[in-house]
Amino acid sequence: MRDLGVGLGYLLKGQRWVARHGRQYGFGLVPGLITLVLYVAALVALALWGQDLVSWSTPFADGWTDPWQGLFRGLLTALLFALTLLLAVLTFTAVTLLIGQPFYESLSERVDRDVSPDGTAPESGLPLWRELVISARDSLRIVLRALVWAVLLFAAGFVPVLGQTVVPVVGVFVTGFFLTEELTAVALQRRRMELRERLALLRGRKTLVWGFGTPLGLAFLVPFVAVLLMPGAVAGATLMARDLLGEETGESGGKGERPVPAEPAPRAGRSAV
């Protein structure tokens, strides 16, 4: 359970880091604002025309008498909007990171240099276009995994009692895990770690991951809050990635400070767990 507090601590440390580096914070807001505008437009369109979409897709209910037709289509419309909102939360980070790859890559490198005892940051050595392709590919894989979980949780939500108690809690933890994967990917991809290795690394420290991602996932339910927290979340995820790999880090996150002992980092090309 100690790792829950440690994970939350990295989230807070990331927010403090960007608060001390205002320029990096300002640049980091841009991708989130772009994504927010796109998502809000999609949700508004669904709210305006979602009922028409449901009516078009359920012609078999045209002959139903009131109130059954209205209740049935109203329920489907509400479920469609709820599922879309859940997918928006699950995919917001992936889309924002994809749009803001150059911004967040630069921010993550700055964090690495700032906390590294020797002031250096790992580099992938890949051209930007290649990094974008890898990021888009891995983000799609994560979104598909998240979609499977979303559908399963959506279906489980109809189970009496269980669907109103256990399922929402599981959904929050699942969201937190996938958010953390997307955010730590910025730092771990620079270290040439593949998606399978990253997932194995995070599964080995699930409590730490939940401590970081679960409160962040709850905060991301408020879209504008998600935009404001995104730069700090990337910074905090970079700090946590260093912990997961056993890399030395200054105690207070600054150059020239005494580093804390660390375990040897996993060898490249092998799973970390």
Side-chain angles (χ1 to χ4, degrees), residues 1 19 23 28 41 55 60 74 99 111 124 127 131 149 165 172-173 175-176 182 198 227 243 247 261:
M1 297 300 290
R23 186 176 181 183
S55 298
F60 57 85
I99 293 174
V111 173
S124 67
E131 291 182 348
W149 273 99
T165 54
V172 170
F173 280 92
T175 301
E182 287 288 346
R198 299 199 305 267
V227 173
D243 180 4
E247 296 178 359

Side-chain angles (χ1 to χ4, degrees), residues 131-184:
E131 291 182 348
L132 290 173
V133 170
I134 294 174
S135 179
R137 180 199 65 191
D138 290 349
S139 293
L140 179 60
R141 291 175 177 175
I142 290 298
V143 167
L144 291 176
R145 284 177 167 85
L147 179 60
V148 172
W149 273 99
V151 172
L152 291 175
L153 292 172
F154 179 73
F158 291 99
V159 179
V161 182
L162 184 69
Q164 292 74 49
T165 54
V166 177
V167 171
V169 175
V170 174
V172 170
F173 280 92
V174 169
T175 301
F177 182 89
F178 284 123
L179 282 177
T180 305
E181 196 290 323
E182 287 288 346
L183 290 165
T184 54

Side-chain angles (χ1 to χ4, degrees), residues 3-268:
D3 269 355
L4 284 175
V6 176
L8 177 60
Y10 281 123
L11 180 59
L12 298 178
K13 287 178 182 178
Q15 302 304 324
R16 288 198 297 267
W17 191 92
V18 295
R20 296 196 306 268
H21 300 78
R23 186 176 181 183
Q24 292 292 318
Y25 179 68
F27 284 136
L29 290 177
V30 175
L33 289 171
I34 295 173
T35 307
L36 178 63
V37 170
L38 295 175
Y39 273 49
V40 168
L43 290 172
V44 168
L46 184 62
L48 293 175
W49 295 293
Q51 190 167 2
D52 293 337
L53 177 62
V54 169
S55 298
W56 171 80
S57 61
T58 56
F60 57 85
D62 288 342
W64 292 11
T65 58
D66 288 332
W68 305 115
Q69 182 193 83
L71 288 174
F72 175 70
R73 286 178 170 169
L75 176 61
L76 287 183
T77 302
L79 291 176
L80 175 63
F81 190 85
L83 179 59
T84 303
L85 186 60
L86 175 60
L87 287 176
V89 173
L90 290 172
T91 61
F92 182 88
T93 303
V95 175
T96 302
L97 289 174
L98 184 60
I99 293 174
Q101 176 75 14
F103 296 90
Y104 296 131
E105 190 77 22
S106 174
L107 190 154
S108 180
E109 285 188 23
R110 283 289 303 275
V111 173
D112 264 325
R113 290 194 180 96
D114 190 46
V115 302
S116 175
D118 59 3
T120 62
E123 297 181 3
S124 67
L126 299 174
L128 178 59
W129 70 267
R130 180 60 179 165
E131 291 182 348
L132 290 173
V133 170
I134 294 174
S135 179
R137 180 199 65 191
D138 290 349
S139 293
L140 179 60
R141 291 175 177 175
I142 290 298
V143 167
L144 291 176
R145 284 177 167 85
L147 179 60
V148 172
W149 273 99
V151 172
L152 291 175
L153 292 172
F154 179 73
F158 291 99
V159 179
V161 182
L162 184 69
Q164 292 74 49
T165 54
V166 177
V167 171
V169 175
V170 174
V172 170
F173 280 92
V174 169
T175 301
F177 182 89
F178 284 123
L179 282 177
T180 305
E181 196 290 323
E182 287 288 346
L183 290 165
T184 54
V186 178
L188 295 177
Q189 283 177 357
R190 280 192 292 106
R191 292 159 169 83
R192 305 294 291 269
M193 288 192 69
E194 296 291 334
L195 176 60
R196 183 177 299 178
E197 294 176 298
R198 299 199 305 267
L199 289 173
L201 185 67
L202 295 178
R203 287 169 184 151
R205 298 284 298 278
K206 285 182 181 178
T207 311
L208 177 69
V209 170
W210 288 333
F212 181 89
T214 300
L216 188 63
L218 291 172
F220 274 22
L221 291 173
V222 183
F224 191 67
V225 172
V227 173
L228 295 177
L229 294 181
M230 192 67 179
V234 173
T238 302
L239 295 172
M240 190 171 71
R242 296 181 65 89
D243 180 4
L244 290 168
L245 296 174
E247 296 178 359
E248 292 185 353
T249 299
E251 289 183 350
S252 301
K255 291 182 184 177
E257 299 178 5
R258 182 183 175 186
V260 296
E263 298 176 1
R267 295 176 63 182

